[in-house]
Amino acid sequence: PLGPTSSLPQSFLLKCLEQMRKVQADSTVLQERLCATHKLCHPEELVLLGHALGIPQPSLSGCSSHALQLTGCLRQLHNGLVLYQGLLQALTGLPPELTPALETLQLDIGDFAINLWREMEELGVAPAVPPTQGAMPAFTSAFQRRAGGVLVASNLQSFLELAYRALRSFAKP
Amino acid sequence: ECGRISLPTPTVHLGDPITASCVISPNCSHLDPESQILWKLGTELQPGKRQRRLADGRQESTITVPRLSSPRVLLSCCVRWGTSLQILDQAEVQAGYPPATPHDLSCLMNLTTNSLICQWEPGPDTHLSTHFTLKSFKSRGNCQTQEDSILNCLPNDGQNHCSIPRRDLLLYQNMSIWVEAKNALGTSKSPQLCLVPMDVVKLEPPTLWALAPSPEVAPPQPGCLLLRWEPWKPSLYIEQKCELRHQPQLGEDSWVLVGPLLSQTLQYELCGLLPSTAYVLQMRCTRWPLPGQWSDWSPSLTLTTAQR
C-alpha cells in the first residue's frame, strides 16, 4: 500500500484532473438546464426537501488537507463516484430536454469511476470487493426528480471541488 | 418452366473462366424438345458449347467462358424458334477481386459530436459490392486482451469513415480498432489500432480577437499587436497549448510561427513586426501536456501595427 507521502503517476493525475473538470462541466450544464427549464436555480432553496429525500453525501475525510492520505482518499473518491452513479441513475425520468445532459454526466462519471478503479488496482490500493451503491432515495414525483437533480448536481460539484484540491497535492513535487 | 441456367457461383475473379449449364424441359409447350440450345454472352452468340440428352429426356447444354473480362456479364440460354431466337433463362455473372487490405486507418475524438470518428483507405476498386465494418473492443494495457466488445460500426454505403458513439466508449481507456472488408470473393482486415479516445481528441480552433486598449491595457508599441483569444468552449476543461502564425497581408512572406502559448494566457503582445503594416493572424490549439491532435487553424484575424 501507498505511504502517506506517495504521489500519483503524472499521466494518471493529469487525466484524473481533466476528467474531474469534465464532470464538473457536465454537472454545470445539467444545473443550467434545470434552472432554464424549471427555474430551479438555487440548491439552497431545496435544503429542506433534500433532507426529506435523504440524499446521501459521500465522505472525503481522507482527502481533506489536514488528514490527507492517498489510499484513503482514492477509495473515498471512488466510493463517491459509485454513489453518484447510483443517484444519477435514480434520476432517470427527468424531462426529455434534460436527458442529453443527464446521460453525458452519467457516461462521464462512469468513465471516471472505471479509470480510477483500474489505477487503484495497478497501484495495489483497490479494496478486495468493489463498492456497491447502497440504498438510493426514491424520487416519487417529477418535481422531486428535478429538485433531486439540482441537489445531486450541486453536491457533486462540491464533492469534486474538494477531491480536485486533494489530487493536485498528490502531484510529484 | 422452359429453361433453367445453373452456375457454380454467381461471382468469379475477373479474368477467370466460368462454366454454366442450361437444361430445357421437354414439357415446355410449343418447344421442340430436340432444339439446339444456344448461348448469348451479353448480346453475342457464343461458340463452344456441348449439348447432351439427360436420362430423363431433358436436353442439357454446357458452356465455358474462358475469361470474364468485365465486372458484370449477362449469360442467356436460348433456342431458335421459327425465325426468332427465344431466351429461356438469363443469369448475371459478376466478376471482380477480393477486397484489398484497408489501410491508413486513423481516428479522431470529436467533442462536437461526442464520437470517435475513424476513417480509412479502402484500397483499389474490387468491382464487386464490398462492405466495410469498423470493429473494436475495449481493452486494458496494450490491447492484447479483449474486455468488452463494442457494437460494429457500419458506414453508410460508399463511405470510408464511421463514428463510434460516446455511449460505446471509455474515453480514458485503451481500445483496439480495425476495419474489415468483405465481398463475395473474400474478406480482409486492416492492421489494428490501439488507442485511448481522449488521446486523439481534436479540438475546434480558438477564437482570436484584437485586444482593445483600455485603462488597464496600454496601446501597443510600433511594430506590435495586442491580441487575445478564447479556447473553444466545450474544451475549457482540457489543458491546452496553442500556437499563433502570422504573415503580412500583402506580399508573399510565408507564415511565421509563434508558440507555444499556454491556454491560460488568453492574451498576448506580438512584437517584432513592421510598423503600419496589416498582418493576418491565425491560431490553433491542442490538448497538452496530455496527448491530442492539433485543431485546424482559426479563421484569420487581420490587424494593423501602430505607426512609428
Side-chain angles (χ1 to χ4, degrees):
Chain A
L2 296 166
T5 60
S6 299
S7 56
L8 283 170
Q10 184 69 3
S11 160
F12 169 74
L13 179 66
L14 289 172
K15 286 181 187 177
C16 230
L17 296 175
E18 180 177 281
Q19 281 193 275
M20 281 188 178
R21 294 192 298 266
K22 183 168 173 47
V23 171
Q24 284 182 301
D26 297 338
S27 184
T28 301
V29 167
L30 181 60
Q31 288 175 289
E32 287 167 353
R33 291 277 156 74
L34 282 160
C35 179
T37 55
H38 294 88
K39 304 302 173 239
L40 293 174
C41 306
H42 308 292
E44 54 277 13
E45 295 169 339
L46 301 165
V47 173
L48 199 59
L49 180 64
H51 288 321
L53 291 170
I55 297 175
Q57 293 199 49
S59 160
L60 276 177
S61 54
C63 300
S64 60
S65 52
H66 50 270
L68 201 55
Q69 205 274 324
L70 180 54
T71 299
C73 180
L74 289 180
R75 288 184 178 181
Q76 286 182 322
L77 174 53
H78 182 263
N79 291 346
L81 292 175
V82 170
L83 176 69
Y84 277 108
Q85 274 184 287
L87 286 169
L88 291 168
Q89 202 59 44
L91 290 172
T92 301
L94 280 172
E97 62 270 24
L98 297 171
T99 303
L102 179 62
E103 280 176 359
T104 298
L105 183 52
Q106 288 172 328
L107 280 169
D108 286 340
I109 273 197
D111 257 31
F112 190 10
I114 288 172
N115 291 338
L116 191 53
W117 180 262
R118 288 186 178 179
E119 187 66 24
M120 285 161 68
E121 284 182 327
E122 272 157 36
L123 291 171
V125 297
V129 179
T132 57
Q133 287 167 358
M136 285 293 130
F139 301 109
T140 55
S141 72
F143 167 70
Q144 284 189 2
R145 275 190 291 279
R146 293 195 297 267
V150 172
L151 289 167
V152 168
S154 169
N155 293 347
L156 175 57
Q157 293 275 17
S158 316
F159 172 80
L160 289 174
E161 207 51 53
L162 177 55
Y164 194 89
R165 281 198 300 272
L167 283 192
R168 286 196 79 115
S169 59
F170 287 130
K172 275 199 170 66
Chain B
E1 188 175 83
C2 293
R4 160 61 67 91
I5 293 177
S6 305
L7 287 170
T9 165
T11 308
V12 297
H13 283 69
L14 205 56
D16 279 6
I18 188 164
T19 297
S21 67
C22 181
V23 173
I24 60 175
S25 168
N27 47 29
C28 173
S29 54
H30 310 299
L31 178 61
D32 171 4
E34 299 301 323
S35 297
Q36 188 194 10
I37 298 171
L38 301 169
W39 291 89
K40 281 205 302 189
L41 193 62
T43 57
E44 303 292 327
L45 274 176
Q46 291 300 301
K49 63 267 177 216
R50 303 171 302 281
Q51 186 162 333
R52 62 185 176 119
R53 172 196 294 280
L54 299 178
D56 58 10
R58 294 179 305 161
Q59 289 283 339
E60 178 192 59
S61 171
T62 304
I63 185 172
T64 296
V65 179
R67 196 177 173 286
L68 283 180
S69 54
S70 87
R72 179 173 172 276
V73 169
L74 289 172
L75 201 54
S76 306
C77 170
C78 315
V79 289
R80 285 213 186 281
W81 193 62
T83 58
S84 69
L85 195 63
Q86 295 296 305
I87 300 176
L88 302 184
D89 193 12
Q90 192 178 68
E92 178 175 338
V93 182
Q94 295 199 320
Y97 303 106
T101 301
H103 56 280
D104 295 345
L105 172 61
S106 67
C107 301
L108 289 177
M109 183 65 199
N110 183 312
L111 295 186
T112 306
T113 58
N114 231 353
S115 61
L116 186 69
I117 302 173
C118 297
Q119 60 185 25
W120 59 87
E121 285 302 322
D125 184 4
T126 65
H127 303 297
L128 300 173
S129 168
T130 302
H131 296 287
F132 292 86
T133 304
L134 185 67
K135 297 196 168 192
S136 56
F137 60 76
K138 296 171 192 169
S139 175
R140 294 181 80 140
N142 48 17
C143 295
Q144 295 311 307
T145 53
Q146 172 166 340
E147 289 222 330
D148 304 328
S149 63
I150 295 173
L151 279 177
N152 287 342
C153 190
L154 304 177
N156 295 324
D157 275 352
Q159 288 187 343
N160 297 310
H161 58 83
C162 207
S163 294
I164 301 175
R166 168 72 182 87
R167 64 177 176 276
D168 290 343
L169 298 169
L170 280 179
L171 297 184
Y172 290 82
Q173 292 290 321
N174 267 312
M175 63 189 290
S176 180
I177 302 175
W178 69 96
V179 183
E180 189 176 272
K182 179 180 288 213
N183 67 21
L185 295 181
T187 301
S188 67
K189 268 173 63 172
S190 76
Q192 280 183 308
L193 277 186
C194 182
L195 58 82
V196 174
M198 276 306 283
D199 288 352
V200 290
V201 67
K202 180 178 179 181
L203 310 177
E204 291 298 321
T207 306
L208 260 180
W209 284 290
L211 188 57
S214 67
E216 303 84 41
V217 179
Q221 301 297 314
C224 292
L225 290 172
L226 280 173
L227 48 114
R228 68 182 179 88
W229 70 86
E230 222 176 78
W232 176 50
K233 193 168 189 299
S235 69
L236 285 177
Y237 69 91
I238 296 174
E239 278 184 318
Q240 309 167 35
K241 72 176 178 182
C242 305
E243 58 185 27
L244 180 72
R245 68 179 183 180
H246 59 84
Q247 65 180 183
Q249 189 175 39
L250 304 177
E252 298 302 318
D253 294 34
S254 54
W255 291 103
V256 174
L257 213 57
V258 177
L261 306 169
L262 295 189
S263 53
Q264 299 87 336
T265 318
L266 296 184
Q267 58 187 50
Y268 184 70
E269 183 172 34
L270 177 63
C271 289
L273 308 173
L274 300 172
S276 315
T277 306
Y279 280 85
V280 177
L281 304 134
Q282 290 181 328
M283 179 175 271
R284 66 177 182 173
C285 298
T286 183
R287 182 183 190 226
W288 183 86
L290 291 170
Q293 301 280 326
W294 281 102
S295 72
D296 295 333
W297 289 101
S298 69
S300 295
L301 173 69
T302 303
L303 295 178
T304 303
T305 51
Q307 294 174 350
R308 195 172 295 285

